[in-house]
Amino acid sequence: MPSTAPHFAIAIDGPAASGKSTLAHQLATRLGLIMVNSGAMYRAITWQALQDHIDPSDHAAVIDLLHRLTIECGDDGLSSTITLNGCDPGDALRSEAVNANVSTVAAIPEVRAKLVALQRDYLTRTNIVMEGRDIGSVVFPDTPYKIYVHAAEHVRSARRSNMGEIDSVAQRDAADSNRSTAPLMVAPGAAILDNSHHSIEASVLAALEILKQQGLAV
Ligand code: DC
């Protein structure tokens, strides 16, 4: 999609628990941008489906839910926010039930179309760092600023359990990589950053160097 928006996006993609959110937060703070967590949008729809006792694999029911929902995506000056019919799901977005079902909901093309439009809308308002799975490949394919963050699977699983979360990252990665619409992939033009053995500070410095090489004035 050629962009005529007056603002720019830095796209950060990668598998579950690869450190995308931490990196995106740090970059946003240092560069004065809004950090947009696109995974929270897929989590929010999943949470609402579970609240309404909708089977996440029932596409028609999830699509019907989408039509009934007023989804408001904004920001608090630092990071993205989301409400569904005026309600903020908060920490429930990271529950075990949402972790287990979010890939199923995220594979539904109509869900993706709706959320991608809301994601692109941020660029009409502000400069952003957006993290997800398809940001460099689908949401903002024309941005020159793209990083694919990676870390070894055992490192990623350990990060999730250290956070006290039950999350089968390998299962989620397989589902997110093998779906037919907008699978997790290294976007054309993205630089790969493997942070398996990096401190947060080292990852941020490596990312800033990549962005500089991609033409960002940092
Ligand atoms: O980044 P996260 O782990 O919070 O994302 C939760 C799920 O949402 C992830 O398993 C796949 C889906 N997702 C997606 O399909 N596309 C995105 N741009 C972001 C997340």
Side-chain angles (χ1 to χ4, degrees):
M1 180 206 60
S3 170
T4 53
H7 298 289
F8 69 85
I10 297 174
I12 310 281
D13 289 302
S18 55
K20 301 183 300 294
S21 298
T22 306
L23 178 62
H25 267 299
Q26 290 286 330
L27 290 174
T29 304
R30 293 181 197 209
L31 300 173
L33 314 173
I34 298 292
M35 188 278 198
V36 183
N37 177 350
S38 66
M41 301 184 192
Y42 293 95
R43 288 174 179 273
I45 305 299
T46 306
W47 172 79
Q48 188 67 60
L50 296 173
Q51 287 291 108
D52 293 0
H53 306 290
I54 291 169
D55 175 356
S57 62
D58 182 344
H59 286 206
V62 175
I63 292 164
D64 185 54
L65 167 68
L66 265 192
H67 292 148
R68 285 184 280 116
L69 276 180
T70 300
I71 308 169
E72 284 187 317
C73 294
D75 69 81
D76 61 9
L78 293 173
S79 307
S80 55
T81 55
I82 184 164
T83 60
L84 303 175
N85 291 342
C87 171
D88 174 0
D91 291 343
L93 293 185
R94 306 216 60 93
S95 68
E96 185 182 350
V98 170
N99 283 342
N101 288 287
V102 63
S103 291
T104 304
V105 171
I108 301 173
E110 288 82 354
V111 171
R112 304 202 68 81
K114 175 100 183 178
L115 297 186
V116 166
L118 292 168
Q119 290 156 13
R120 288 181 178 154
D121 209 39
Y122 273 96
L123 265 209
T124 63
R125 307 191 290 269
T126 186
N127 295 328
I128 58 174
V129 182
M130 186 176 285
E131 57 115 339
R133 303 293 187 289
D134 61 340
I135 311 307
S137 57
V138 172
V139 183
F140 299 120
D142 295 337
T143 182
Y145 316 124
K146 301 184 190 185
I147 300 178
Y148 183 91
V149 184
H150 187 71
E153 191 187 312
H154 69 276
V155 174
R156 296 188 286 113
S157 295
R159 284 178 186 162
R160 273 297 189 261
S161 42
N162 289 343
M163 287 165 70
E165 263 191 47
I166 298 177
D167 187 5
S168 171
V169 296
Q171 221 171 309
R172 216 143 58 79
D173 291 345
D176 295 340
S177 304
N178 294 322
R179 68 181 175 224
S180 49
T181 307
L184 169 64
M185 61 181 283
V186 181
I192 297 176
L193 173 54
D194 186 332
N195 67 16
S196 306
H197 306 292
H198 279 11
S199 64
I200 292 172
E201 183 61 18
S203 290
V204 175
L205 293 178
L208 287 170
E209 190 52 41
I210 289 169
L211 292 170
K212 204 160 131 189
Q213 282 171 18
Q214 290 176 338
L216 191 70
V218 296

